[in-house]
Amino acid sequence: MNFPDVFWSFLASCFFAAFCAHKLSTHLPRRHVTGRAHVLFQDLIRYGKTKQRVQRESCVRAFDVPKRWFWHFYAISVVWNGLLLGLYLNATFQHQSYPSWLTGLLDILTDAPASQVPQLSTLLLLVLLCVHSLRRLLECLLVSVFSDGALNLMQYAFGVFYYVALGLTVLCSDRLGRGTGPLLSQLHWSHVAGGTLFIGASVMQHQSTVLLAGLRTGKSGAVETLAHAVPKGGWFELVSCPHYLAELLIYVSLSLVVGGLSLTWWLVVLYVLFNQALAAQLCHDLYVSKYESYPRHRKAFIPFVL
């Protein structure tokens, strides 16, 4: 098992443990719920509107940054993964080697030798990752309406690091690629299936983002309120957080693009599953507790399941 596998396994395990701990915490006696350790744990796993009901000390709030800074993550991803895409294209078509700093970093992360054959899967992964990041960046800047919600500095640092790690994971998995021959000859049904799912999940996420923004804007598009309201329409009729479900489906599509047999990318999917499930459950719990008329048939994340 190479370092990316260990890394994504560790993250998946951490968020699975956090999800289980949160579910169990709902059954704890009140004296434990109000304890400092529990409050700190809740502060670490929550952000935005779900953080507002936690009784947080001033020393903890001092490390808050605005949730609207989410766009920073996607801007960094566009620049970083766009750079990696450019370097990969240069290596593929101009037969230029990676810079020594990047080659050295990849050598540290995996002991697999550099692939001598350009991989169509790697090229598609980098392109889709850049497209996804650019879309989310534009949505954050032009569509989403952020309130005064916050995330702590640790969550912010993790968000910055995450997309850097994701791009490096693409290049590490490239070294394990099995494609042979010209790029077009490597085209496989999994590329088509993954690309199709990516488009469908991206449309689903965008539509959900537009519906959420519409809760705070009028017919003219001008912001009328920053208050939270019950989302309706589209996939919101089935789950509280369809944008999180779409995020999971996007990563499933990326795993399909690499053939659906990459342990590394299924570990990434597993991490995204537990990460998004936790975030969705926190949002769902807030909706249920805040709105008496909230639809009881809605699940948090996966229709009819979770």
Side-chain angles (χ1 to χ4, degrees):
M1 183 178 287
N2 58 17
F3 179 78
D5 292 349
V6 174
F7 173 75
W8 293 109
S9 296
F10 174 72
L11 284 185
S13 300
C14 287
F15 277 90
F16 175 69
F19 178 80
C20 294
H22 168 69
K23 295 291 284 186
L24 290 173
S25 69
T26 60
H27 304 288
L28 289 175
R30 180 170 177 78
R31 66 178 182 277
H32 296 301
V33 173
T34 56
R36 177 169 294 183
H38 181 267
V39 171
L40 181 60
F41 167 72
Q42 291 294 327
D43 186 67
L44 287 174
I45 66 173
R46 295 171 181 268
Y47 61 88
K49 59 180 175 288
T50 64
K51 191 187 285 285
Q52 294 175 353
R53 290 194 170 188
V54 178
Q55 299 298 319
R56 308 168 67 223
E57 298 180 2
S58 57
C59 60
V60 175
R61 292 196 299 271
F63 293 96
D64 283 354
V65 297
K67 185 190 172 186
R68 64 176 63 92
W69 282 11
F70 254 64
W71 73 267
H72 295 183
F73 306 151
Y74 303 116
I76 290 171
S77 179
V78 169
V79 173
W80 170 250
N81 292 303
L83 171 64
L84 297 185
L85 174 60
L87 293 174
Y88 195 79
L89 288 171
N90 194 44
T92 299
F93 297 107
Q94 300 298 324
H95 307 291
Q96 298 291 323
S97 300
Y98 291 153
S100 57
W101 61 266
L102 181 57
T103 301
L105 185 56
L106 295 175
D107 288 340
I108 293 173
L109 295 176
T110 178
D111 54 6
S115 174
Q116 300 301 314
V117 179
Q119 303 292 312
L120 179 60
S121 295
T122 302
L123 183 58
L124 289 175
L125 267 180
L126 288 170
V127 168
L128 294 181
L129 187 55
C130 288
V131 169
H132 173 61
S133 301
L134 180 60
R135 176 182 61 81
R136 292 294 295 123
L137 173 61
L138 293 175
E139 286 175 347
C140 284
L141 296 176
L142 303 176
V143 178
S144 297
V145 180
F146 293 100
S147 63
D148 57 353
L151 60 157
N152 64 51
L153 197 58
M154 184 178 296
Q155 292 169 324
Y156 179 81
F158 177 80
V160 170
F161 173 75
Y162 171 74
Y163 284 102
V164 174
L166 204 58
L168 291 174
T169 300
V170 174
L171 294 188
C172 286
S173 62
D174 175 72
R175 293 191 169 195
L176 303 174
R178 299 179 180 179
T180 58
L183 286 176
L184 289 180
S185 69
Q186 298 177 27
L187 187 63
H188 190 260
W189 69 265
S190 61
H191 296 135
V192 178
T196 302
L197 178 59
F198 177 86
I199 294 172
S202 297
V203 170
M204 172 183 173
Q205 190 173 59
H206 177 71
Q207 291 175 339
S208 300
T209 302
V210 170
L211 287 173
L212 283 174
L215 296 175
R216 294 177 172 176
T217 58
K219 294 182 179 180
S220 65
V223 177
E224 295 183 347
T225 180
L226 294 180
H228 299 105
V230 177
K232 298 177 181 179
W235 284 79
F236 281 107
E237 298 303 318
L238 293 176
V239 293
S240 296
C241 301
H243 46 310
Y244 294 157
L245 173 59
E247 186 80 2
L248 173 62
L249 293 177
I250 286 172
Y251 280 87
V252 171
S253 75
L254 297 181
S255 188
L256 289 177
V257 164
V258 293
L261 298 175
S262 170
L263 173 62
T264 300
W265 280 96
W266 283 117
L267 289 173
V268 174
V269 170
L270 196 63
Y271 154 73
V272 174
L273 168 63
F274 295 137
N275 174 280
Q276 299 296 290
L278 175 60
Q281 188 64 58
L282 292 170
C283 286
H284 182 73
D285 292 346
L286 176 65
Y287 287 143
V288 171
S289 63
K290 187 175 182 179
Y291 304 105
E292 293 183 1
S293 61
Y294 194 75
R296 298 298 169 179
H297 67 275
R298 286 191 195 180
K299 296 295 184 181
F301 179 44
I302 300 176
F304 314 112
V305 178
L306 176 64

